Amino acid sequence: MTEITLLDGGMGQELIRRSGKPAAPLWSTQVMIDMPGLVAEVHGDYADAGATVATTNSYAIHRDRLRGGDSNHYASEGQQMPDREHQFEALHGAALAEAQSVKNRSRVAGSVGPLGASYRSDIHPGFNAAKPLYAEVAKILAPQVDLLLFETIASLDAARACLEAGRQTDRPVWLAFTVDDEDGSFLRSGEPVSEAAIIAADADAVLANCSAPEAMPAALDALSKTGRPIGAYGNAFTMITKNFLEGGTTAADLQAREDMTPQTYADHAMNWVEMGATIVGGCCETGPAHIAEIASRLRASGYAIV
């Protein structure tokens, strides 16, 4: 019987829906201070849906994202962001504490999101600058998680920095790449996923994430060459276009796809499993219902969810 690891789904959009707050830069991070327990509630609902991995709500907890003023890439035009860098350690502690609520039912993956901004390889710092910043986060998370999940990696340089940073801990390192929505054989940077696979061959698992579900088969085909466990967790955004990549920085600028129902998304996920993926789940704009549908399909098809 083939064993499948079932990840959870999106956290940020789910928190916006449940909190009743408008989408805003860093809201899904600040919510842990303003509304403690809400993240744990989401973790619990994903575990109830069948997820066997809980991903910490630490994706955006980077010093550059928390830093206020014009230097923050998440500031809207003409808007000064408050400086929250002093909360760096406290926010990581809150994310870890919220995830512990499902520790008895799920493995915990320490989420490390991209520096700069999601999808934007053009504003990601160079390898020498990025590696110690990723390592700082990895070392904070490692003692309380089962694995490190570096997410939404958009370039080869970022992949190298993430992998080397993760290897400074004793936890398994999973690398998740974001790929072009129109052609999943390329990263958001325009570099081939086949080259990312060469780097990822030294990781413990390699995935494609936060991209259109339709782009995942091409990405998985390239990543399968690593010889490592492969997987995918797509988003349910409308297409992340080249124009967005030239200037967009937040999910608030993107729209949800009305056609990506739990049933439709599960169709994609089962296709990834048939291609050899042993790790599947959901990313932005997927929720507990999407994960529950995947779990149901996996069990009906004779897979063991581990």
Side-chain angles (χ1 to χ4, degrees):
M1 181 181 293
T2 302
E3 296 182 340
I4 303 295
T5 296
L6 183 54
L7 304 174
D8 49 12
M11 178 64 75
Q13 266 50 41
E14 193 69 17
L15 289 171
I16 289 169
R17 279 190 288 271
R18 295 186 188 209
S19 69
K21 301 287 186 179
L26 298 177
W27 166 248
S28 63
T29 300
Q30 185 64 26
V31 69
M32 294 184 295
I33 303 297
D34 296 345
M35 303 178 69
L38 187 61
V39 170
E41 176 186 299
V42 178
H43 284 314
D45 286 350
Y46 278 127
D48 290 344
T52 53
V53 174
T55 307
T56 60
N57 186 39
S58 49
Y59 179 94
I61 310 176
H62 283 299
R63 293 191 182 277
D64 66 337
R65 297 192 181 210
L66 297 175
R67 197 170 294 130
D70 294 333
S71 64
N72 191 300
H73 295 300
Y74 288 76
S76 300
E77 185 176 353
Q79 178 186 6
Q80 289 285 320
M81 293 293 295
D83 193 326
R84 297 195 179 106
E85 190 176 2
H86 65 283
Q87 294 178 302
F88 180 76
E89 290 83 5
L91 287 168
H92 278 107
L96 288 164
E98 300 269 7
Q100 294 304 310
S101 63
V102 293
K103 181 72 173 177
N104 63 332
R105 294 191 285 165
S106 305
R107 283 176 286 168
V108 175
S111 171
V112 186
L115 294 161
S118 297
Y119 323 121
R120 295 288 303 278
S121 62
D122 59 315
I123 57 176
H124 188 277
F127 173 83
N128 289 334
K131 179 180 171 181
L133 294 173
Y134 283 126
E136 180 183 24
V137 174
K139 290 174 183 177
I140 291 172
L141 296 174
Q144 296 186 56
V145 301
D146 298 292
L147 61 100
L148 292 168
L149 177 58
F150 290 86
E151 300 192 86
T152 321
I153 299 169
S155 70
L156 300 180
D157 212 30
R160 295 185 185 97
C162 290
L163 181 61
E164 292 201 18
R167 287 299 182 221
Q168 294 183 32
T169 76
D170 62 353
R171 291 294 183 258
V173 175
W174 292 12
L175 300 182
F177 294 91
T178 182
V179 301
D180 188 291
D181 281 358
E182 297 175 284
D183 186 347
S185 65
F186 291 94
L187 301 176
R188 300 280 187 193
S189 63
E191 298 164 308
V193 178
S194 59
E195 293 186 21
I198 296 172
I199 298 168
D202 290 327
D204 295 285
V206 56
L207 306 95
N209 86 299
C210 213
S211 309
E214 293 86 351
M216 295 308 192
L220 288 171
D221 184 61
L223 295 176
S224 66
K225 308 301 191 295
T226 62
R228 299 294 186 178
I230 61 172
Y233 53 115
N235 64 40
F237 284 139
T238 53
M239 183 178 292
I240 299 173
T241 65
K242 303 298 189 296
N243 286 338
F244 177 85
L245 295 178
E246 291 175 0
T249 54
T250 75
D253 299 318
L254 300 170
Q255 301 297 319
R257 289 175 60 171
E258 295 182 1
D259 64 319
M260 199 54 61
T261 64
Q263 293 73 27
T264 299
Y265 186 82
D267 289 341
H268 287 286
M270 294 306 294
N271 180 49
W272 306 334
V273 170
E274 290 170 6
M275 291 184 63
T278 57
I279 308 167
V280 294
C283 206
C284 301
E285 294 291 0
T286 66
H290 294 80
I291 301 306
E293 181 65 21
I294 297 171
S296 176
R297 299 275 192 97
L298 288 170
R299 294 189 188 101
S301 298
Y303 293 101
I305 301 174
V306 298

